[in-house]
Amino acid sequence: MSTAEKTFSKGLEGVVAAQTEMSFINGTEGILEYVGIAIGDLASQSSFEETVFLLWNKRLPTASELEAFTKDLRSHYTLCDEMITQIKSCPKDAEPMHVIRSMISMLAMYDTDPNANSVEAARQKSMRILAVTPAIVAVFDRYRRGLEIVPADPSLSFAANFLYMLNGEKPTEAMTRAFDICMITHADHGLNNSTFAARVVISTLSDVYSAITAAVGSLRGPLHGGANEGVMKMLNQIPTVDDAEAFVMNMIKNKERIMGFGHRVYKAKDPRASELMTLAKQLAEDTGNMDFYNKSNAIEKVMEREYAAKGIYPNVDFYSATTYHCIGLKLDLFTPMFVLARIAGWSGHVIEQLEDNRLFRPTTDYVGPHDVAYVSIDNR
Ligand code: ACO
């Protein structure tokens, strides 16, 4: 490509950097599909396990394929003793996202062939990372609370097993289903920042662990997956529903960003936010947390009035905050929940990248000076 043809797009906005068969997004109309299936249909009818199969195989499984896939996933639920020791060597006040990022990186050292990069090897490693990361989160959380570690239960679904390992008691069907829907809605989302990070890393033919580790680092940023914690902090700062409008108007006046609103791609309501809004309402009713839902709703109304014309609407993080709160998760576990789900998407993209790889290596637009004389250090 000649210099004249090169264009600079800050933040790579509008640049097509990869092809995918996994998720389709129409940001103007607020549409999200996984392999052509509307996210709402998957949220209401599918399971996380089936959704992962769909993303990785680009089709829905038969009953026997789903059974085999689920069995394979469950066979990797358990964290080895060495990894448990590593987690217990982390400071108890460490941020869970830092622990997760470090521990996924560490998993490579307990893999006898960590660098294997065939598509088949990448699938197996993805299955292992997906299956075992819930245990990383649960073990760290129980260790920092001074509680006994709860071993994984392979008779449980991905969602139920995580809640069981975290809380030490089997979750209700309603809680399991709610958590499963959260996992489905967060599983994949085009070339978002963390997915791009994963694809960039694997494009060097590095290894799956490095790619997923990089993605976790990207996701924790407050402009990306970290926004759900920002939403909860905001809800906690608003004393009552009646204070919501004044609180948000004050933020707007101070030119602060309202967490959980706006999206690089969506200029309409994020369809995942619509799904999670319904879920949050139901859970809030069931768990006596309607004030959180009502405050969220009041904020959405103000934002619609003030920002809809600019194409700024609730994104996936807005109602996931209330949803996770109702499920009983601590604030610093909100972004980790995003990790548990998005490993499905990151891995699928890593596999797609390996199937048709070309090294990512964009160029820069050099805007500095030329022909500058070197001045020796004594004369500066
Ligand atoms: N609150 C107030 N104003 C906003 C918000 C917001 N949440 N989002 C965007 N804007 C405004 C910006 O101030 C800017 O205004 P200006 O043109 O007057 O300067 C304009 O909208 C465009 O904003 P950009 O940051 O350039 O748009 P971008 O496409 O980069 O925004 C982003 C995407 C980063 C997500 C942004 O909307 C944001 O910061 N939102 C809050 C954080 C958040 O919720 N992140 C989660 C995103 S979803 C996810 O990653 C899972």
Side-chain angles (χ1 to χ4, degrees), residues 13 219 222-225 227 256-265 267 270 272 303 307 310 312 315-317 338 342:
E13 185 164 1
L219 189 79
L223 296 187
H224 192 9
E256 288 175 62
R257 285 190 182 222
I258 320 298
M259 291 292 118
F261 285 84
H263 199 277
R264 177 62 62 78
V265 181
K267 301 304 164 201
D270 182 332
R272 300 168 300 173
M303 289 299 283
Y307 275 108
K310 272 182 115 177
I312 296 173
N315 59 48
V316 67
D317 284 323
F338 207 149
R342 189 53 63 84

Short mmCIF file of all heavy atoms in Angstrom, two decimals, residues 13 219 222-225 227 256-265 267 270 272 303 307 310 312 315-317 338 342, ligand 1:
data_model
loop_
_atom_site.label_atom_id
_atom_site.label_comp_id
_atom_site.label_asym_id
_atom_site.label_seq_id
_atom_site.Cartn_x
_atom_site.Cartn_y
_atom_site.Cartn_z
N GLU A 13 -11.20 3.38 14.83
CA GLU A 13 -12.65 3.44 14.62
C GLU A 13 -12.98 3.22 13.14
O GLU A 13 -12.39 3.86 12.26
CB GLU A 13 -13.19 4.80 15.09
CG GLU A 13 -14.71 4.85 15.00
CD GLU A 13 -15.31 5.99 15.81
OE1 GLU A 13 -14.55 6.76 16.42
OE2 GLU A 13 -16.54 6.09 15.80
N LEU A 219 -9.55 -6.16 29.29
CA LEU A 219 -10.95 -6.10 29.76
C LEU A 219 -11.11 -5.32 31.05
O LEU A 219 -12.15 -4.70 31.29
CB LEU A 219 -11.51 -7.52 29.93
CG LEU A 219 -13.02 -7.55 30.21
CD1 LEU A 219 -13.80 -7.34 28.91
CD2 LEU A 219 -13.45 -8.84 30.87
N PRO A 222 -11.60 0.62 32.77
CA PRO A 222 -12.93 1.19 33.01
C PRO A 222 -13.70 1.61 31.75
O PRO A 222 -14.91 1.76 31.81
CB PRO A 222 -12.65 2.41 33.90
CG PRO A 222 -11.20 2.70 33.76
CD PRO A 222 -10.53 1.40 33.40
N LEU A 223 -13.01 1.73 30.62
CA LEU A 223 -13.75 2.03 29.39
C LEU A 223 -14.27 0.76 28.74
O LEU A 223 -14.97 0.80 27.73
CB LEU A 223 -12.87 2.80 28.40
CG LEU A 223 -12.40 4.19 28.85
CD1 LEU A 223 -11.68 4.90 27.71
CD2 LEU A 223 -13.56 5.05 29.35
N HIS A 224 -13.88 -0.40 29.28
CA HIS A 224 -14.30 -1.68 28.68
C HIS A 224 -15.06 -2.46 29.75
O HIS A 224 -16.07 -1.98 30.26
CB HIS A 224 -13.03 -2.37 28.17
CG HIS A 224 -13.24 -3.55 27.27
ND1 HIS A 224 -14.45 -3.90 26.76
CD2 HIS A 224 -12.35 -4.47 26.78
CE1 HIS A 224 -14.31 -4.99 25.99
NE2 HIS A 224 -13.05 -5.35 25.99
N GLY A 225 -14.59 -3.62 30.13
CA GLY A 225 -15.36 -4.46 31.06
C GLY A 225 -15.42 -3.95 32.48
O GLY A 225 -16.28 -4.36 33.26
N ALA A 227 -16.40 -1.22 33.42
CA ALA A 227 -17.48 -0.24 33.61
C ALA A 227 -18.59 -0.76 34.52
O ALA A 227 -19.26 0.02 35.20
CB ALA A 227 -18.05 0.18 32.26
N GLU A 256 -18.53 14.56 33.44
CA GLU A 256 -18.06 13.21 33.80
C GLU A 256 -18.76 12.18 32.92
O GLU A 256 -19.90 12.41 32.49
CB GLU A 256 -18.40 12.90 35.27
CG GLU A 256 -17.58 13.67 36.27
CD GLU A 256 -18.06 13.41 37.68
OE1 GLU A 256 -18.01 12.26 38.12
OE2 GLU A 256 -18.52 14.38 38.34
N ARG A 257 -18.09 11.08 32.65
CA ARG A 257 -18.73 9.99 31.89
C ARG A 257 -19.63 9.17 32.79
O ARG A 257 -19.25 8.83 33.90
CB ARG A 257 -17.67 9.10 31.27
CG ARG A 257 -17.07 9.80 30.10
CD ARG A 257 -16.19 8.94 29.28
NE ARG A 257 -15.68 9.82 28.25
CZ ARG A 257 -15.56 9.52 26.98
NH1 ARG A 257 -15.85 8.32 26.57
NH2 ARG A 257 -15.12 10.41 26.12
N ILE A 258 -20.79 8.85 32.30
CA ILE A 258 -21.71 8.02 33.09
C ILE A 258 -21.40 6.57 32.70
O ILE A 258 -21.61 6.18 31.54
CB ILE A 258 -23.19 8.35 32.77
CG1 ILE A 258 -23.42 9.86 32.60
CG2 ILE A 258 -24.13 7.73 33.80
CD1 ILE A 258 -23.14 10.72 33.78
N MET A 259 -20.91 5.82 33.64
CA MET A 259 -20.52 4.43 33.35
C MET A 259 -21.74 3.61 32.95
O MET A 259 -22.82 3.78 33.51
CB MET A 259 -19.84 3.80 34.57
CG MET A 259 -18.49 4.38 34.88
SD MET A 259 -17.24 4.00 33.62
CE MET A 259 -16.80 5.60 33.04
N GLY A 260 -21.53 2.71 32.00
CA GLY A 260 -22.63 1.88 31.53
C GLY A 260 -23.42 2.50 30.39
O GLY A 260 -24.44 1.94 29.96
N PHE A 261 -22.95 3.66 29.91
CA PHE A 261 -23.61 4.29 28.76
C PHE A 261 -22.60 4.55 27.66
O PHE A 261 -21.44 4.85 27.93
CB PHE A 261 -24.27 5.62 29.16
CG PHE A 261 -25.53 5.41 29.93
CD1 PHE A 261 -25.48 5.20 31.30
CD2 PHE A 261 -26.76 5.38 29.29
CE1 PHE A 261 -26.64 4.96 32.02
CE2 PHE A 261 -27.92 5.15 30.00
CZ PHE A 261 -27.86 4.93 31.38
N GLY A 262 -23.08 4.46 26.43
CA GLY A 262 -22.23 4.75 25.28
C GLY A 262 -21.52 3.50 24.81
O GLY A 262 -21.27 2.56 25.58
N HIS A 263 -21.22 3.47 23.53
CA HIS A 263 -20.54 2.32 22.96
C HIS A 263 -19.94 2.73 21.63
O HIS A 263 -20.54 3.51 20.89
CB HIS A 263 -21.54 1.17 22.75
CG HIS A 263 -20.89 -0.15 22.60
ND1 HIS A 263 -20.37 -0.58 21.40
CD2 HIS A 263 -20.63 -1.13 23.50
CE1 HIS A 263 -19.84 -1.77 21.57
NE2 HIS A 263 -19.98 -2.13 22.84
N ARG A 264 -18.75 2.21 21.37
CA ARG A 264 -18.10 2.54 20.10
C ARG A 264 -18.96 2.09 18.90
O ARG A 264 -19.00 2.77 17.87
CB ARG A 264 -16.71 1.88 20.05
CG ARG A 264 -15.94 2.07 18.76
CD ARG A 264 -15.62 3.52 18.43
NE ARG A 264 -14.79 4.19 19.38
CZ ARG A 264 -13.46 4.07 19.49
NH1 ARG A 264 -12.81 3.25 18.69
NH2 ARG A 264 -12.79 4.77 20.37
N VAL A 265 -19.64 0.99 19.02
CA VAL A 265 -20.39 0.45 17.88
C VAL A 265 -21.89 0.77 17.96
O VAL A 265 -22.50 1.16 16.97
CB VAL A 265 -20.18 -1.09 17.77
CG1 VAL A 265 -20.93 -1.64 16.57
CG2 VAL A 265 -18.70 -1.42 17.67
N LYS A 267 -25.15 2.74 18.46
CA LYS A 267 -25.69 4.09 18.57
C LYS A 267 -27.20 3.98 18.89
O LYS A 267 -27.96 4.93 18.75
CB LYS A 267 -25.43 4.90 17.30
CG LYS A 267 -23.93 5.02 16.98
CD LYS A 267 -23.10 5.62 18.14
CE LYS A 267 -21.59 5.38 17.98
NZ LYS A 267 -20.82 5.49 19.21
N ASP A 270 -28.05 -1.10 23.36
CA ASP A 270 -27.35 -2.38 23.26
C ASP A 270 -28.38 -3.49 23.54
O ASP A 270 -29.01 -3.48 24.61
CB ASP A 270 -26.24 -2.34 24.32
CG ASP A 270 -25.34 -3.56 24.35
OD1 ASP A 270 -25.82 -4.63 23.97
OD2 ASP A 270 -24.20 -3.42 24.81
N ARG A 272 -28.05 -6.37 24.49
CA ARG A 272 -27.71 -7.12 25.71
C ARG A 272 -28.24 -6.37 26.93
O ARG A 272 -28.66 -6.97 27.92
CB ARG A 272 -26.19 -7.31 25.81
CG ARG A 272 -25.63 -8.08 24.63
CD ARG A 272 -24.12 -7.99 24.60
NE ARG A 272 -23.65 -6.62 24.46
CZ ARG A 272 -22.38 -6.25 24.54
NH1 ARG A 272 -21.44 -7.15 24.76
NH2 ARG A 272 -22.04 -4.99 24.39
N MET A 303 -30.72 9.88 31.06
CA MET A 303 -29.74 9.76 29.96
C MET A 303 -30.44 9.77 28.61
O MET A 303 -29.94 10.32 27.63
CB MET A 303 -28.92 8.48 30.14
CG MET A 303 -27.94 8.55 31.29
SD MET A 303 -26.72 9.88 31.09
CE MET A 303 -25.61 9.16 29.88
N TYR A 307 -29.05 12.42 26.32
CA TYR A 307 -27.99 11.90 25.44
C TYR A 307 -28.45 11.04 24.25
O TYR A 307 -27.62 10.69 23.41
CB TYR A 307 -26.99 11.07 26.27
CG TYR A 307 -25.93 11.89 26.93
CD1 TYR A 307 -25.93 12.11 28.30
CD2 TYR A 307 -24.89 12.44 26.18
CE1 TYR A 307 -24.94 12.86 28.91
CE2 TYR A 307 -23.90 13.19 26.78
CZ TYR A 307 -23.92 13.40 28.14
OH TYR A 307 -22.93 14.14 28.73
N LYS A 310 -27.41 11.97 20.87
CA LYS A 310 -25.99 11.74 20.54
C LYS A 310 -25.70 10.25 20.31
O LYS A 310 -24.55 9.86 20.11
CB LYS A 310 -25.10 12.23 21.70
CG LYS A 310 -24.72 13.70 21.62
CD LYS A 310 -23.80 14.07 22.77
CE LYS A 310 -22.42 14.46 22.28
NZ LYS A 310 -21.55 14.89 23.39
N ILE A 312 -26.12 7.91 22.58
CA ILE A 312 -25.56 7.29 23.80
C ILE A 312 -26.69 6.65 24.60
O ILE A 312 -27.58 7.33 25.11
CB ILE A 312 -24.79 8.34 24.63
CG1 ILE A 312 -23.58 8.83 23.81
CG2 ILE A 312 -24.34 7.77 25.97
CD1 ILE A 312 -22.82 9.97 24.42
N ASN A 315 -25.30 0.37 27.79
CA ASN A 315 -24.58 -0.76 27.20
C ASN A 315 -24.70 -1.97 28.14
O ASN A 315 -25.37 -1.91 29.16
CB ASN A 315 -23.12 -0.37 26.90
CG ASN A 315 -22.35 0.07 28.15
OD1 ASN A 315 -22.40 -0.59 29.18
ND2 ASN A 315 -21.66 1.21 28.05
N VAL A 316 -24.02 -3.04 27.77
CA VAL A 316 -24.15 -4.32 28.50
C VAL A 316 -23.83 -4.18 29.99
O VAL A 316 -24.37 -4.90 30.83
CB VAL A 316 -23.24 -5.40 27.84
CG1 VAL A 316 -21.77 -5.07 28.01
CG2 VAL A 316 -23.54 -6.80 28.35
N ASP A 317 -22.94 -3.24 30.31
CA ASP A 317 -22.50 -3.12 31.70
C ASP A 317 -23.55 -2.48 32.62
O ASP A 317 -23.47 -2.64 33.84
CB ASP A 317 -21.21 -2.29 31.78
CG ASP A 317 -20.01 -3.10 31.34
OD1 ASP A 317 -19.98 -4.31 31.64
OD2 ASP A 317 -19.13 -2.55 30.68
N PHE A 338 -17.39 -11.13 33.70
CA PHE A 338 -17.24 -10.85 32.27
C PHE A 338 -16.15 -11.77 31.69
O PHE A 338 -16.29 -12.33 30.60
CB PHE A 338 -16.85 -9.37 32.12
CG PHE A 338 -17.25 -8.71 30.85
CD1 PHE A 338 -17.55 -7.35 30.83
CD2 PHE A 338 -17.29 -9.42 29.66
CE1 PHE A 338 -17.90 -6.71 29.65
CE2 PHE A 338 -17.64 -8.78 28.47
CZ PHE A 338 -17.94 -7.42 28.47
N ARG A 342 -16.45 -14.26 28.61
CA ARG A 342 -15.79 -13.81 27.37
C ARG A 342 -14.63 -14.70 26.95
O ARG A 342 -14.18 -14.64 25.80
CB ARG A 342 -15.36 -12.35 27.53
CG ARG A 342 -14.85 -11.66 26.28
CD ARG A 342 -15.79 -11.74 25.09
NE ARG A 342 -17.07 -11.08 25.25
CZ ARG A 342 -17.30 -9.77 25.05
NH1 ARG A 342 -16.31 -8.99 24.68
NH2 ARG A 342 -18.52 -9.26 25.20
N1 ACO B 1 -21.23 9.58 29.46
C1 ACO B 1 -21.17 10.85 29.02
N2 ACO B 1 -20.70 11.19 27.79
C2 ACO B 1 -20.30 10.20 27.00
C3 ACO B 1 -20.36 8.86 27.39
C4 ACO B 1 -20.85 8.57 28.67
N3 ACO B 1 -20.91 7.32 29.12
N4 ACO B 1 -19.90 8.09 26.39
C5 ACO B 1 -19.55 8.93 25.41
N5 ACO B 1 -19.79 10.21 25.77
C6 ACO B 1 -19.56 11.41 24.97
C7 ACO B 1 -18.08 11.83 25.03
O1 ACO B 1 -17.85 12.70 26.10
C8 ACO B 1 -17.93 12.50 23.70
O2 ACO B 1 -18.50 13.77 23.76
P1 ACO B 1 -17.90 15.00 22.93
O3 ACO B 1 -18.05 14.62 21.49
O4 ACO B 1 -18.72 16.14 23.35
O5 ACO B 1 -16.46 15.09 23.34
C9 ACO B 1 -18.79 11.66 22.77
O6 ACO B 1 -19.80 11.07 23.60
C10 ACO B 1 -18.03 10.55 22.05
O7 ACO B 1 -17.29 9.82 23.02
P2 ACO B 1 -16.03 8.92 22.66
O8 ACO B 1 -15.34 8.51 23.90
O9 ACO B 1 -15.19 9.58 21.60
O10 ACO B 1 -16.74 7.74 21.95
P3 ACO B 1 -16.26 6.27 21.94
O11 ACO B 1 -16.83 5.64 20.76
O12 ACO B 1 -14.79 6.15 22.10
O13 ACO B 1 -16.99 5.78 23.28
C11 ACO B 1 -16.94 4.45 25.20
C12 ACO B 1 -17.11 4.50 23.69
C13 ACO B 1 -15.45 4.51 25.53
C14 ACO B 1 -17.49 3.09 25.65
C15 ACO B 1 -17.69 5.59 25.90
O14 ACO B 1 -19.03 5.60 25.53
C16 ACO B 1 -17.55 5.54 27.42
O15 ACO B 1 -16.54 6.01 27.96
N6 ACO B 1 -18.57 4.99 28.13
C17 ACO B 1 -18.50 4.83 29.57
C18 ACO B 1 -17.72 3.59 29.93
C19 ACO B 1 -18.48 2.34 29.61
O16 ACO B 1 -19.65 2.19 29.93
N7 ACO B 1 -17.77 1.37 28.99
C20 ACO B 1 -18.33 0.08 28.65
C21 ACO B 1 -18.48 -0.06 27.16
S1 ACO B 1 -19.22 -1.60 26.75
C22 ACO B 1 -17.97 -2.70 26.96
O17 ACO B 1 -16.83 -2.44 26.69
C23 ACO B 1 -18.28 -4.01 27.48
#
